[in-house]
Amino acid sequence: MDVQNAVNAAEVSAGVPHAASSGALGAVLPIVALAVVALLIGGFILSKRKHDAEPPPPRPEEQPRKPEERTHIEQRDPHASDRFPADGHALSPYELKDHGNGPLPPDEEQPRG
């Protein structure tokens, strides 16, 4: 008998919170929705204020000028080889074999020590 009373009590108590929670959910859901909308509007207003506080983009006469001489200095890449195949065609990956796996020669420009 005790088992059946426990099952009946569980069925009755399970039905009551469900009915009570649907009423609470109906009252809380619009409040949460209004809070989310208020946060979105507040975020939009704050980002608009921040954008308005930024300086305007530079005018064409304020843009930097191109230098008259070259500023780029070509440097030799120690990893690249200056040699080309004798017949002039490019090497395929399977033709490379051990190219690029050897140690680099020491720099002649920088003295050791």
Side-chain angles (χ1 to χ4, degrees):
M1 277 301 247
D2 291 331
V3 173
Q4 192 155 10
N5 287 340
V7 170
N8 288 338
E11 288 177 3
V12 171
S13 65
V16 172
H18 180 65
S21 68
S22 66
L25 183 65
V28 171
L29 194 59
I31 294 171
V32 171
L34 286 174
V36 169
V37 169
L39 285 173
L40 289 173
I41 291 172
F44 176 77
I45 291 171
L46 286 176
S47 97
K48 184 69 175 152
R49 284 184 185 171
K50 184 176 179 181
H51 179 69
D52 290 342
E54 292 176 353
R59 296 186 306 262
E61 61 269 6
E62 295 174 340
Q63 296 289 335
R65 301 281 179 215
K66 182 178 177 181
E68 298 199 12
E69 67 277 349
R70 278 182 32 171
T71 58
H72 176 74
I73 299 171
E74 293 285 335
Q75 293 183 347
R76 183 179 147 327
D77 183 12
H79 299 283
S81 172
D82 291 338
R83 293 179 283 131
F84 286 97
D87 59 359
H89 81 281
L91 294 176
S92 299
Y94 63 88
E95 295 174 319
L96 288 175
K97 296 183 178 84
D98 287 334
H99 290 279
N101 292 337
L104 292 175
D107 281 343
E108 290 120 17
E109 297 176 7
Q110 296 178 357
R112 289 188 176 192

